[in-house]
Amino acid sequence: MSTREVATLFKEYFGHTPPHVVQAPGRLELIGNHTDYNQGLVLALAVDRYIFMAASPRPDGRIELVSSAFRNREGFATSTIEKNPAAPWANYVKGVLLQLQRRGVPLRGFNAAIHGTIPLGAGMSSSAALEVATALAVRRLTPYTLTPTSIATPPQADADGALPPLTARERLDIARLCQAAENEYVGVNCGLLDQISSLFGRALHAMEIDFQTLAVEPVPMLGDLAVVVCQTGVKHELVAGEYNALRRHCEAAARKLGAPALRALDMAALQAGRAKLTEREYACARHVVGEIQRVVSGARALREGDFEQFGQYMLQSHESSRDHFNNSCRELDILVDLARHHPACLGARLTGGGFGGATINLVRTPRAADFMEAMDDGYRKATGRSAHPLLCQVVDGAH
Ligand code: GLA
């Protein structure tokens, strides 16, 4: 449906049907909070909310962008890609274009229309999806094959003009390039979770991602399970500041304990080195080390179909974020408390960066509608706001 919407938007602005349409899904972190940049493990889902991008080449070396979510269109030459304070949303696109250019991809001019169904600020990674959509749209316009630092022989289209599907290696290199765009151009020192999830998603499966080896293993999510997102409607995060500070605490803790990353430590090693850390570093490390263990146990429970047990790990994960990592907030805690008291709920926790955004809830399917209604009512009573509950399907990655 929304590929049609983005094509309509494109036609409205640029006057013809777009030859290329790509889509990149948002992601949900099922469990594994702030473990990615600590070389840990995460169970993640790609879900049926997308950024769609429709594109066509233009001959004058200019790039013209329109978005259904923002009023200002944005235009610039491929030779002068710069930030425009009036269109900060375009930074995700520009960051990726600059990274592609830097690797040696010969950027040509194009028109693009962007339409999204990922709620903004809900912790479902609309920004990573926009980065990934940009990289895939450019690949359609100017086929390229990335290597970790440069480019290789471009892929050949078949007789119908279709490019070969991306290999796992290529998806990983695109994920890394998009992460570099966010780190260097947008200024958020994020890990690789969001970009990998958007590119590697698999319908009806969670992805178990190991950020030390970058292996991605599918874990079936079959059975009577529904995934529901509840939105706080608030974002307390101050630009990238809070996120980057948490990352610094984790990295300082690992460094002081002589470990390459917190992944290398278990609870006993952490306790033994506690005196070397500040209180805050210790609390952050404690969260991360415990959380990595919960992902290992959680993946086992999921593979065994023990959803009750998995739900318990989700609740423990939230408590650890709240009490040790301090990236929860009043609204997230209200949502998790409401959820855990509903009989259909197996587990609930904050998902993504924290400080607002959304919770992910694992719910028994037959009572999912009732759960969503109860969450909305309860959250309204507590805060005066709607929780805008979303039922999410687990889908394939970007293409
Ligand atoms: C954000 C970041 C990810 C990850 C999560 C927390 O989504 O972009 O890299 O760190 O927060 O797990």
Side-chain angles (χ1 to χ4, degrees):
M1 186 177 77
S2 292
T3 45
R4 192 157 359 118
E5 282 167 26
V6 78
T8 306
L9 179 72
F10 184 95
K11 197 165 177 189
E12 209 175 285
Y13 277 90
F14 301 115
H16 61 96
T17 303
H20 305 292
V21 178
V22 297
Q23 61 187 74
R27 68 97 188 87
L28 291 171
E29 172 197 288
L30 185 57
I31 193 165
N33 191 235
H34 285 256
T35 52
D36 62 343
Y37 55 79
N38 292 299
Q39 294 186 19
L41 296 154
V42 183
L43 279 165
L45 315 170
V47 291
D48 60 340
R49 301 295 189 284
Y50 296 93
I51 296 288
F52 298 93
M53 191 181 277
S56 73
R58 54 183 287 154
D60 60 358
R62 283 189 64 76
I63 293 174
E64 293 289 334
L65 306 173
V66 295
S67 159
S68 59
F70 302 96
R71 269 164 176 274
N72 299 346
R73 46 190 293 185
E74 177 63 344
F76 47 91
T78 53
S79 53
T80 47
I81 302 179
E82 283 162 8
K83 286 185 182 157
N84 172 4
W89 57 271
N91 288 346
Y92 298 101
V93 177
K94 292 174 187 175
V96 170
L97 298 176
L98 285 166
Q99 290 289 337
L100 287 167
Q101 243 175 5
R102 193 185 292 175
R103 303 284 175 99
V105 174
L107 272 193
R108 307 214 176 91
F110 64 88
N111 291 325
I114 300 159
H115 174 66
T117 55
I118 306 174
L120 299 179
M124 293 175 73
S125 290
S126 54
S127 37
L130 178 53
E131 292 155 10
V132 169
T134 303
L136 295 192
V138 173
R139 182 173 178 268
R140 295 278 190 91
L141 295 160
T142 313
Y144 61 79
T145 307
L146 295 179
T147 65
T149 53
S150 173
I151 45 172
T153 315
Q156 294 299 313
D158 66 16
D160 300 326
L163 292 171
L166 291 163
T167 63
R169 182 77 252 160
E170 285 178 293
R171 278 181 281 168
L172 205 51
D173 284 327
I174 292 177
R176 280 210 185 94
L177 179 133
C178 292
Q179 180 202 27
E182 186 139 349
N183 292 170
E184 292 168 28
Y185 201 67
V186 182
V188 181
N189 224 350
C190 63
L192 259 174
L193 169 63
D194 309 344
Q195 294 79 7
I196 289 195
S197 305
S198 185
L199 280 152
F200 282 81
R202 179 150 159 200
L204 303 175
H205 289 73
M207 291 161 265
E208 184 184 18
I209 311 168
D210 182 330
F211 288 91
Q212 193 164 44
T213 60
L214 295 179
V216 183
E217 288 292 328
V219 184
M221 285 264 294
L222 303 171
D224 234 3
L225 286 182
V227 174
V228 174
V229 166
C230 293
Q231 305 179 58
T232 61
V234 300
K235 195 80 197 139
H236 294 304
E237 193 179 1
L238 298 169
V239 205
E242 301 275 12
Y243 182 93
N244 292 353
L246 288 170
R247 181 167 181 162
R248 277 197 304 275
H249 290 313
C250 292
E251 287 170 348
R255 203 172 42 246
K256 289 183 183 177
L257 298 177
L262 290 179
R263 169 71 177 275
L265 299 172
D266 60 12
M267 256 335 157
L270 183 58
Q271 301 299 346
R274 181 172 183 170
K276 295 184 189 151
L277 307 181
T278 65
E279 270 306 300
R280 195 72 196 101
E281 287 161 359
Y282 172 73
C284 288
R286 179 169 171 188
H287 164 75
V288 170
V289 170
E291 186 74 355
I292 293 171
Q293 188 51 53
R294 269 186 294 279
V295 179
V296 174
S297 310
R300 192 182 316 131
L302 265 195
R303 288 197 170 93
E304 287 167 359
D306 190 348
F307 304 132
E308 302 264 350
Q309 182 60 53
F310 187 80
Q312 291 304 310
Y313 294 133
M314 290 176 76
L315 291 166
Q316 288 169 15
S317 163
H318 183 78
E319 282 162 15
S320 175
S321 295
R322 183 191 65 199
D323 300 340
H324 301 306
F325 211 54
N326 291 350
N327 64 332
S328 187
C329 64
R330 182 177 153 265
E331 293 85 353
L332 286 166
D333 294 342
I334 290 173
L335 285 173
V336 170
D337 280 342
L338 285 168
R340 71 189 308 164
H341 290 112
H342 191 283
C345 178
L346 292 156
R349 56 181 291 279
L350 69 81
T351 184
F355 310 107
T359 59
I360 178 169
N361 304 267
L362 209 56
V363 181
R364 295 201 183 281
T365 310
R367 297 197 57 193
D370 178 60
F371 174 81
M372 289 165 73
E373 213 179 298
M375 288 300 293
D376 202 32
D377 280 357
Y379 193 61
R380 258 182 218 286
K381 284 197 188 102
T383 66
R385 282 201 187 91
S386 166
H388 295 293
L390 302 172
L391 186 63
C392 295
Q393 306 300 333
V394 182
V395 297
D396 286 331
H399 52 90

